[in-house]
Amino acid sequence: MDDPGNGGHAALVQLQAYLAQMDHAGETRLPAERELSESLGVSRGDLRKALAVLEKDGRIWRHVGRGTFVGSGPVEETIGISEIAGRTNPADVMRARLILEPEIAREAALHATLSDIAAMRQSLVQTREAVTWRQYENVDNLLHRQIAQASRNNVLLGLFDVLNAVRRTVVWGRLRSEGARPPADHHSFADHERIVEAIAERDLGGAAAAMRLHLQQVERRLIPVREAAE
């Protein structure tokens, strides 16, 4: 799969989750770009990058004058994610994240470059600037993937991508009850800052512990009230 870039990757994850929850036995035409980009909370430019990746992989096809359709052939990754998501729940997803992501953060503390850390810090700023929950979730998704990329381990990155796609599918469409945007004291802001600072300081154990603490806080909030994402 081609790398669509950070913004395009966030759109790709959102689009994969959207496809996975579609009823493929019914309507297979995707909404118009403007409607779809608004639904996914991504820019039209990033959406086009994500659509181009899926078209190249044979997952969607375009008919001039009619629109974009989900491909009629095998869509192995999307079907696989849909099948996994259909057999799981938010609690199982959280347990998997608790197993995988602290170790990814540990590896990131060992291998992250200055460029990796600068990108993470930029994402920290963007999470605080998000004006909707959807925007926040897209940047949150990007930050966690930047940490996985910084591990410099393609197996871990691949596992993260699959788990993240399942997570987005499982929580797709869940509504939050605490307002239109993250509050100024949202716990994840400080959690994320501790994770990134531990990575920047090459504190392997600290990075893993900070990620574990963050996910445990997410788990405590997710399981009782079934929030959309942290």
Side-chain angles (χ1 to χ4, degrees):
M1 179 184 296
D2 290 346
D3 185 353
N6 284 337
H9 186 271
L12 181 60
V13 170
Q14 292 288 81
L15 182 57
Q16 286 175 319
Y18 180 89
L19 293 179
Q21 56 81 47
M22 282 184 66
D23 178 8
H24 296 294
E27 177 62 69
T28 61
R29 185 169 63 180
L30 296 179
E33 278 188 7
R34 174 178 292 181
E35 179 183 348
L36 187 56
S37 65
E38 291 176 355
S39 177
L40 299 180
V42 301
S43 71
R44 293 180 70 176
D46 286 340
L47 174 62
R48 291 190 188 107
K49 293 176 185 177
L51 289 169
V53 170
L54 295 189
E55 183 177 21
K56 184 175 180 180
D57 289 350
R59 302 178 196 179
I60 62 172
W61 59 280
R62 306 189 199 211
H63 189 291
V64 177
R66 292 185 57 197
T68 302
F69 298 81
V70 178
S72 59
V75 190
E76 295 181 2
E77 185 176 344
T78 301
I79 291 175
I81 290 169
S82 180
E83 290 176 350
I84 293 170
R87 297 195 301 268
T88 193
N89 55 66
D92 286 347
V93 172
M94 283 307 312
R95 294 307 303 165
R97 293 186 71 190
L98 278 162
I99 291 168
L100 182 64
E101 291 193 56
E103 295 310 309
I104 287 178
R106 183 190 302 275
E107 290 297 304
L110 180 62
H111 297 289
T113 65
L114 293 177
S115 178
D116 291 330
I117 294 166
M120 293 176 204
R121 286 176 169 156
Q122 179 61 32
S123 292
L124 292 178
V125 173
Q126 292 175 346
T127 59
R128 289 186 179 273
E129 293 176 344
V131 297
T132 67
W133 275 110
R134 183 69 73 194
Q135 287 181 9
Y136 167 78
E137 288 159 0
N138 285 340
V139 182
D140 170 77
N141 184 55
L142 172 60
L143 174 61
H144 281 264
R145 191 173 195 270
Q146 288 169 334
I147 294 169
Q149 287 177 308
S151 74
R152 294 295 182 272
N153 185 312
N154 286 330
V155 175
L156 288 177
L157 179 59
L159 290 171
F160 172 86
D161 281 344
V162 171
L163 177 56
N164 198 38
V166 171
R167 175 174 74 96
R168 298 305 306 147
T169 303
V170 168
V171 303
W172 180 265
R174 290 171 184 260
L175 299 177
R176 290 182 178 269
S177 59
E178 66 271 55
R181 62 181 294 175
D185 61 349
H186 184 47
H187 74 93
S188 288
F189 294 152
D191 290 353
H192 288 155
E193 288 167 359
R194 282 190 287 268
I195 294 165
V196 172
E197 287 311 304
I199 291 172
E201 293 171 7
R202 308 301 180 187
D203 181 355
L204 279 65
M211 180 65 80
R212 185 174 297 106
L213 178 61
H214 167 56
L215 295 176
Q216 286 170 339
Q217 291 209 69
V218 173
E219 183 179 39
R220 283 194 292 271
R221 288 164 171 78
L222 174 72
I223 304 309
V225 299
R226 294 292 194 268
E227 288 184 345
E230 290 290 340

